[in-house]
Amino acid sequence: LGYEDEKFAYAVLAREPAPPAAARIIRQPQIRSGHVNLVTCEPDGVHDRTISRKQGDRYREAKVALLESTRWGGRCPNVACKPTKAYLVVAELVHDIHELAGKLGIDVGPARIDLARVKARKDSIKKSQPKWVDDLEAAGFDTYEGEAELVDTRTVRVGDQELTADRILIATGSRTAVPPIEGIDEIDWIDHVSALELTELPESMLVVGGGPVGLEFAQIFARFGSRVTIVQGADRLSPRSDAQAAAVLQEVLEEEDGIAVVLSSYVQSV
């Protein structure tokens, strides 16, 4: 669950239908037209809105329009940072129950994960899409929902409306990089986004790639109770990290979480 290319993206092998791969620019139902000082096409969230506000400050309260096609707020609060940390909290608690309860004199049965309820809690702590729009508009941004098309250097078309702007900021984010594995198009694989939509715990999971996202999901699902294997092309996990730290990390994942780690190897076919 984490094929990592040189830049960032990840993919997972499991039993869920593949999501649409397109990461497009933009969405929201109220349509306006006319001139603004800055248009930002972004599913990448808070960072880009901060840039927009800074640009707006330079233009002395410039009018800013936000265009979104996929999810307001971007990846981090919707499908990445916040949701995965909600899962990590549960995984850590399950681990502590198994490892520490008996040592502390607490008699409990084995902790079992109800993944549907874990997912429901994760969904409940996310800001809703209508709330994102309300907050953005309250902060002074105009919002547009739909796919954007650049007409010229200062014009953007969304739906049947056009906006002109002094500046256009394109911040379209990333999408899952599907690894070149023979037969992958013929199976139901999941990535780091659709893995958070599972409601039944997989008996086993093959994580393709040992980068940060792959490691995060590997430990989450291992502690939830899945049998997890990581296949990593490099000769160690997290190759951009300190070598000694990576070695300690691998030891913990193998000995404490029961994760099988296969290094210097590539998945060739499925």
Side-chain angles (χ1 to χ4, degrees):
L1 172 122
Y3 178 84
E4 186 174 23
D5 67 5
E6 267 190 350
K7 295 183 179 177
F8 27 60
Y10 309 91
V12 185
L13 304 179
R15 301 178 184 154
E16 196 74 356
R24 300 181 292 270
I25 322 175
I26 1 209
R27 252 179 227 189
Q28 174 14 64
Q30 84 191 58
I31 300 297
R32 308 177 183 87
S33 62
H35 182 84
V36 296
N37 300 105
L38 176 70
V39 170
T40 175
C41 306
E42 52 91 41
D44 240 5
V46 175
H47 175 66
D48 303 314
R49 288 193 302 280
T50 303
I51 295 173
S52 303
R53 180 52 63 101
K54 288 178 179 177
Q55 291 281 3
D57 290 342
R58 288 180 56 192
Y59 288 97
R60 298 181 183 178
E61 302 302 322
K63 186 176 182 182
V64 179
L66 297 176
L67 283 61
E68 175 59 55
S69 70
T70 307
R71 59 182 72 89
W72 291 101
R75 295 171 302 163
C76 187
N78 288 296
V79 296
C81 318
K82 190 171 182 178
T84 56
K85 300 312 172 285
Y87 275 44
L88 281 172
V89 167
V90 177
E92 183 176 8
L93 180 58
V94 169
H95 176 265
D96 287 347
I97 291 172
H98 288 157
E99 298 296 320
L100 299 178
K103 296 177 183 178
L104 297 175
I106 304 172
D107 293 326
V108 295
R112 293 185 177 88
I113 288 294
D114 183 336
L115 194 56
R117 289 166 62 192
V118 174
K119 175 186 178 297
R121 176 183 176 273
K122 176 263 296 183
D123 292 340
S124 72
I125 63 178
K126 293 193 303 182
K127 184 188 294 189
S128 70
Q129 291 297 288
K131 177 63 173 170
W132 271 109
V133 173
D134 290 344
D135 289 350
L136 289 169
E137 294 186 345
F141 297 105
D142 291 340
T143 59
Y144 294 80
E145 182 176 359
E147 291 191 25
E149 177 185 355
L150 291 173
V151 179
D152 55 42
T153 57
R154 294 198 173 187
T155 307
V156 172
R157 180 182 295 121
V158 54
D160 57 359
Q161 303 295 317
E162 290 188 355
L163 292 174
T164 59
D166 300 324
R167 296 287 186 271
I168 299 174
L169 170 64
I170 302 175
T172 56
S174 64
R175 59 183 176 185
T176 297
V178 182
I181 298 173
E182 182 182 349
I184 194 170
D185 293 334
E186 300 172 10
I187 66 168
D188 294 332
W189 56 271
I190 60 174
D191 65 0
H192 65 293
V193 177
S194 53
L196 294 172
E197 298 303 309
L198 295 176
T199 56
E200 295 185 6
L201 189 66
E203 180 179 339
S204 61
M205 179 176 288
L206 175 67
V207 178
V208 184
V213 172
L215 294 176
E216 183 176 54
F217 277 88
Q219 187 175 60
I220 287 172
F221 278 89
R223 291 186 171 186
F224 281 2
S226 298
R227 187 175 70 257
V228 176
T229 300
I230 300 172
V231 178
Q232 166 73 328
D235 61 359
R236 61 186 174 91
L237 297 178
S238 190
R240 296 184 183 180
S241 301
D242 175 82
Q244 290 181 319
V248 172
L249 173 63
Q250 180 175 338
E251 181 180 347
V252 170
L253 292 174
E254 290 177 325
E255 296 184 5
E256 191 171 305
D257 296 316
I259 297 173
V261 178
V262 181
L263 300 176
S264 303
S265 301
Y266 295 88
V267 177
Q268 296 181 340
S269 64
V270 292

